[in-house]
Each structure stands twice: as structure tokens, then as C-alpha cells.
Amino acid sequence: MNSIDRYILDNSSPEEALLDELDRVTHQRMVQPRMLSGHVQGLFLEMVVRMLGAQTVLEIGTFTGYSALSMARGLPEGGVLHTIEVDDELEMLIRSFFDRSAYADRIVLHIGSALDIAPNLNTKFDLVFIDGDKREYPQYYRMVMDGLVHSGSYLLADNVLWYGKVTESVAHNDRHTQAILEFNRMVCEDPRVENVILPLRDGLNLIRVK
């Protein structure tokens, strides 16, 4: 960790004990623990939910549940967060932390493909956090914009700078980078929205539906 990152952590609100434990467990058990949102991004997501006064949140890509728990903290009483994870092997770990959280009643976990599950939730979402399979980002965007949001909804898409690969030559078989580039281009060219890319961690595309 560099000095700036340490300074940011030292001068931001402290991490909840349960989230700190989840961070440690994720780094112990997962092959790619960097997929975890982490403390600073978690705080940002919580703040966004609070600022929007969001009542309904959709998360595409739960991983071990850090970002879902962070956003649930920001929900008002009666708010609900639907989070979808495709890897069923993570379900037990995710639920073990959700069940211990003070916000468990605000979270609904779904296991399976977001492309199959989300359209059947029959909900218009105030906020959608996209952090699933990067190769499916363009499909997620089309799906969400086709009836899952309303005027004034916000979308947040993670990893949109993709470790800097978005500014480099892309290999013909690099489907992840190709999909991220397509997603960012789709958003920028879509007259139904306005957006800004934030250089937080690996890049967040903040999108407002007009």
C-alpha cells in the first residue's frame, strides 16, 4: 500500500468489524481477492445510496458480499437490495456474513445469471451497481435500460478502466477488454443518460438516467 492509499484510509470513517472480517476471510480463501470492493469503495457505495435516498438497489455480481453489505448500510428502513451472484460455490460464505449483519433484512441474495434473474424481479431500481462478468457488461446495460430503471435512476459500473487496458492495443481474443470498451462507448453515446468516469480504484462509470 502506498502512502496516499494509507493516508486515505487513515482519514476516512473506520471500517465496520464485520466488513473487516469479510475482507480478511476473502483474502484467505479466494483466488482473486482483489475482486473485493474494499473499505474505501465500500464507503463510497454506502454514501451514494444515502445521498440518493435509494429505496431499491440492484447489484450484479455479489462476489463475497462486501459491496452488498456496504450498500445495505446506506439503505433507509424498508429499503431493499437485490444482489445476484452466478457462482453457487460462494453462496454459503455470502449468506454466513449476510445473516450476521444488522442489515440482513434489507438484502435479497439470488444465485444464477443476472441476465435471467433481474428482468423477472418486477422492480424499477433507484441504483444499479454493475460488477459482474466483464464480458457481459454490454448485455447488462441493455437489460437494465430496458425497463429496470426510471428517470433519475443511477448506474455505477466497476472496473471500467480495466487495469489501464482500455487505453492500450487490444488483442483479438481479449473479450474482457473488448466488452469494457464497448460498454463505455455505449454509455457515452446513449442520449438517454449522462455519465462521468471516476478514477477510483479500477474506475467507476457513474451514469444518470435522464
Side-chain angles (χ1 to χ4, degrees), residues 31-136:
V31 176
Q32 293 183 306
R34 71 176 185 273
M35 290 170 61
L36 185 93
S37 287
H39 182 41
V40 173
Q41 184 166 308
L43 283 175
F44 176 76
L45 292 172
E46 177 187 344
M47 292 282 194
V48 168
V49 173
R50 288 190 190 280
M51 286 189 294
L52 293 178
Q55 293 279 349
T56 53
V57 178
L58 172 65
E59 176 180 52
I60 299 174
T62 313
F63 190 42
T64 56
Y66 194 105
S67 51
L69 287 169
S70 298
M71 289 187 287
R73 281 169 52 95
L75 283 171
E77 197 70 33
V80 62
L81 181 147
H82 289 272
T83 182
I84 306 173
E85 174 53 47
V86 71
D87 187 352
D88 59 0
E89 293 185 0
L90 293 174
E91 182 175 5
M92 187 176 297
L93 174 61
I94 295 167
R95 290 196 186 278
S96 71
F97 278 87
F98 284 2
D99 290 346
R100 292 165 54 200
S101 168
Y103 318 106
D105 61 339
R106 305 176 188 177
I107 306 174
V108 181
L109 174 64
H110 306 268
I111 301 297
S113 167
L115 296 171
D116 296 331
I117 294 170
N120 295 310
L121 295 177
N122 299 315
T123 303
K124 296 275 189 179
F125 294 96
D126 301 321
L127 174 65
V128 178
F129 181 46
I130 300 173
D131 195 18
D133 188 333
K134 310 312 166 195
R135 295 167 296 184
E136 295 183 343

